[in-house]
Amino acid sequence: MVQRFKLIVLFCGVALLAAALHVREPAAAQTSGAGQQPAPVATPAPARGLTLPEKHGRAIYLRGESAAGRQITATVGELDVPSNSVPCAGCHGRKGEGKSEGGVTAGNLTWSNLTKSYGHTHPSGRKHGPFTDSSFITAVARGIDPARNNLAAAMPRYRMAPEDMADLLAYLKQIEFERDPGLTSESIDVGIILPTTGFLAETGTAMREILAAYFADVNARGGIYNRKLKLHVVESGGAATTLANLRALAQRGQTFAFVGGLSAGADREVAAFALDEEVPVIGSSTLLPAASEPPNRYMFYLMPGVAEEARALVNFAGTALSLKQARAVVLYPEEELATAAANGAASQAQQQGWRVVGKRTYQSGSFDAARLAQELKAQGTESIFFFGSGEQSAALISALDTLNWKPHLFLLGALASKEIAGTITVAFKQKIFLAFPTVPADVTAEGGAEYRALREKYKLSPQHPAAQLSALAAGKIFVEGLKRGGADLSREQLINALEGLYDYDTGLTPRITFGPNRRIGAAGAYMVTIDPETKGFVSASGWVTVN
């Protein structure tokens, strides 16, 4: 029941706002047997994945990072620097192929090249025999080749634990054979996590169909550097079921990346899977992004969760309404979504230097709006950040009105309901504010036209437009990352490209920015208030960022 509630509220906030603003959805043809249809989903081909030591070695080679968090340092001349500032791949190439730059040649590090039986003669005239495990370790750590010659001064000397050195060596023995799963010279296999049965099956179908239609359009234009996108569905269920299905896919060869879909209810499991299998997950829809420190480099969320929206509420209240000195309380039921929002609000208030902020919980089954309102008024509360249900919000507003007490009240649109508009009297004007992750104006003329064209061309149902827009936006971000990653594609290239995405306009969402330490593309919210006369939602501010 709890999981069902999470999934339902995921898109209802946007739908509620659109309805309140009288946003009309353009007409589209119903699904039928006629007309073009997206290509059916396929079965991914198996691929040899890396072992755990090889994965750890790749992290060292590509990024200078120890999987166990151990320190790795590099000596360049007389200077000691962190290894992540001079990773091996920076000079020797992502595939160990070697390259020349600035008059300095970094050699080929593939194991078949290092162990050639006849050895090596370098352009400088330096000669030595084939490398062995021990002589390679000596070269990395001390800068000495198998013939006891010194390597070039430009080659850093690395200090790392024996375990990390063993992992690096294991990876270099595999690097020339490595191929990311789901990637061939002709195709890119893409997964989407979706419910295919139950009460959300229609939503899942809508998301799959719009993404399949978008990929079909991309493929018709030549694909991505002549590679065609193939979509595969992983059925979601409870957390355990979703994880089991993902693992089963991994055993069959996985896919190159996961795009869009619904991870709500299995967010931690999906994030753990992405980290373990080193597979990018882009634009999964959830109210609870799986935050971690440092960030999970394989997870890219487009939209904020309830914690980020609650933080934006605090920023708005403190800056636009100058309420930092007011006595505030964070009021919420002891439930996962509400607790995440409450923790986000309280943390942001502390960070922004609010004077007095208290936290108070209640049991949803015994919510007493009248009693809570009386107690908060007696305590001199001036601002309330409330993260209960829409029905509870309406009851609290009525209780405040009965007391003739009008504190500032801050809510989340994702948890709101139509009932609250009916409880607003003129006295509450500019006193009640809601945070929404997106507004209808985010859909630009170009974005809306693209969306409608796909629906009409592929005869898609107009139902579940919020879910469709979410999936389409994720697909567009993914394709943009592929294009920026270049023809020599890899998961690593895709991640690097996405980390460089700044203020990108999907035409369907707020602008998206990612970075090495930022994994929520639109971190913030729009602020909306309610006109007590028209009972409609009115913009109270533009986009409020979370900093």
Side-chain angles (χ1 to χ4, degrees):
M1 186 65 184
V2 172
Q3 181 185 343
R4 175 171 180 160
F5 171 73
K6 289 184 197 173
L7 293 168
I8 288 174
V9 300
L10 190 57
F11 300 113
C12 72
V14 177
L16 171 62
L17 181 57
L21 292 176
H22 306 292
V23 176
R24 294 177 59 188
E25 177 61 27
Q30 296 290 331
T31 302
S32 70
Q36 292 177 275
Q37 293 295 324
V41 296
T43 300
R48 193 277 204 199
L50 297 178
T51 65
L52 190 58
E54 290 167 354
K55 289 180 181 179
H56 292 171
R58 180 168 63 176
I60 297 169
Y61 180 81
L62 294 177
R63 302 185 296 279
E65 299 173 356
S66 167
R70 290 182 287 260
Q71 185 179 33
I72 302 177
T73 58
T75 301
V76 183
E78 300 297 322
L79 184 65
D80 288 344
V81 298
S83 60
N84 59 13
S85 64
V86 284
C88 308
C91 294
H92 294 277
R94 184 173 60 82
K95 295 182 178 178
E97 69 274 21
K99 58 183 181 178
S100 297
E101 187 173 343
V104 177
T105 298
N108 184 323
L109 290 187
T110 59
W111 198 245
S112 62
N113 179 66
L114 291 174
T115 57
K116 286 178 179 177
S117 60
Y118 51 82
H120 298 262
T121 299
H122 296 274
S124 65
R126 179 169 57 89
K127 298 180 180 181
H128 60 81
F131 279 93
T132 63
D133 289 14
S134 60
S135 62
F136 175 80
I137 292 171
T138 299
V140 172
R142 298 172 55 195
I144 298 174
D145 70 19
R148 310 302 294 175
N149 301 309
N150 290 326
L151 301 182
M155 168 67 187
R157 279 55 167 165
Y158 292 90
R159 293 194 300 274
M160 66 183 81
E163 298 88 346
D164 290 326
M165 186 68 79
D167 289 342
L168 175 61
L169 192 58
Y171 177 63
L172 289 177
K173 291 179 179 180
Q174 173 65 22
I175 191 171
E176 62 192 295
F177 309 110
E178 181 187 8
R179 176 172 67 85
D180 282 331
L183 181 65
T184 71
S185 59
E186 294 83 27
S187 64
I188 304 171
D189 291 297
V190 184
I192 183 170
I193 305 169
L194 288 174
T196 59
T197 59
F199 69 99
L200 279 172
E202 286 188 4
T203 302
T205 297
M207 297 180 83
R208 175 184 59 79
E209 288 183 345
I210 194 70
L211 191 58
Y214 176 63
F215 284 176
D217 242 38
V218 171
N219 291 340
R221 297 193 298 270
I224 306 297
Y225 300 108
N226 296 317
R227 289 186 174 105
K228 299 301 173 73
L229 299 171
K230 297 181 180 179
L231 187 62
H232 313 277
V233 174
V234 175
E235 185 176 4
S236 64
T241 299
T242 302
L243 183 58
N245 290 342
L246 287 169
R247 285 176 173 164
L249 182 61
Q251 292 173 358
R252 297 196 302 271
Q254 294 184 296
T255 56
F256 178 73
F258 288 88
V259 178
L262 289 167
S263 65
D267 301 303
R268 294 188 186 92
E269 289 75 12
V270 170
F273 170 82
L275 187 61
D276 289 343
E277 297 296 332
E278 298 184 338
V279 54
V281 178
I282 302 156
S284 185
S285 295
T286 179
L287 291 171
L288 291 170
S292 62
E293 188 59 42
N296 183 334
R297 68 189 308 269
Y298 300 97
M299 297 298 299
F300 293 86
Y301 299 97
L302 267 60
M303 303 302 292
V306 291
E308 292 74 35
E309 294 173 39
R311 288 178 179 273
L313 274 174
V314 171
N315 281 0
F316 170 75
T319 302
L321 304 181
S322 302
L323 293 176
K324 288 185 180 181
Q325 299 305 310
R327 184 179 183 87
V329 66
V330 179
L331 181 62
Y332 62 102
E334 295 177 344
E335 298 170 354
E336 188 176 22
L337 283 178
T339 299
N343 289 341
S347 175
Q348 191 72 8
Q350 182 180 20
Q351 178 182 317
Q352 297 298 315
W354 282 54
R355 186 174 65 88
V356 180
V357 179
K359 290 174 69 176
R360 180 164 180 174
T361 64
Y362 63 87
Q363 296 293 327
S364 288
S366 57
F367 179 69
D368 188 338
R371 178 179 60 81
L372 286 170
Q374 290 174 344
E375 292 177 359
L376 293 176
K377 181 180 181 181
Q379 293 166 3
T381 304
E382 299 168 84
S383 300
I384 303 172
F385 293 88
F386 183 69
F387 302 123
S389 68
E391 181 181 345
Q392 291 167 357
S393 297
L396 180 60
I397 293 170
S398 295
L400 299 178
D401 195 38
T402 299
L403 293 176
N404 195 29
W405 177 44
K406 307 300 183 292
H408 283 94
L409 182 62
F410 300 95
L411 310 168
L412 295 183
L415 302 179
S417 63
K418 296 178 181 179
E419 286 76 17
I420 65 170
T423 64
I424 306 299
T425 62
V426 175
F428 279 109
K429 189 171 185 177
Q430 295 296 312
K431 286 288 189 177
I432 298 177
F433 299 91
L434 300 91
F436 283 91
T438 183
V439 295
D442 285 331
V443 181
T444 65
E446 294 80 6
E450 179 181 27
Y451 168 58
R452 291 191 296 274
L454 287 171
R455 282 197 343 199
E456 293 164 4
K457 181 178 180 179
Y458 294 99
K459 309 300 180 186
L460 306 183
S461 168
Q463 295 181 349
H464 310 290
Q468 289 177 325
L469 292 174
S470 171
L472 179 56
K476 294 183 70 173
I477 290 289
F478 174 60
V479 167
E480 181 67 19
L482 293 178
K483 291 177 179 177
R484 296 189 184 196
D488 186 20
L489 183 61
S490 70
R491 286 172 171 173
E492 192 71 19
Q493 291 290 93
L494 173 61
I495 290 171
N496 290 339
L498 290 175
E499 287 184 340
L501 211 61
Y502 177 77
D503 206 30
Y504 181 75
D505 187 7
T506 66
L508 306 169
T509 64
R511 290 179 178 268
I512 301 296
T513 296
F514 292 120
N517 296 308
R518 175 167 172 163
R519 283 301 189 269
I520 297 178
Y526 291 100
M527 299 301 134
V528 172
T529 189
I530 300 175
D531 186 324
E533 296 178 353
T534 65
K535 307 300 183 183
F537 287 172
V538 179
S539 175
S541 79
W543 182 257
V544 177
T545 60
V546 175
N547 47 24

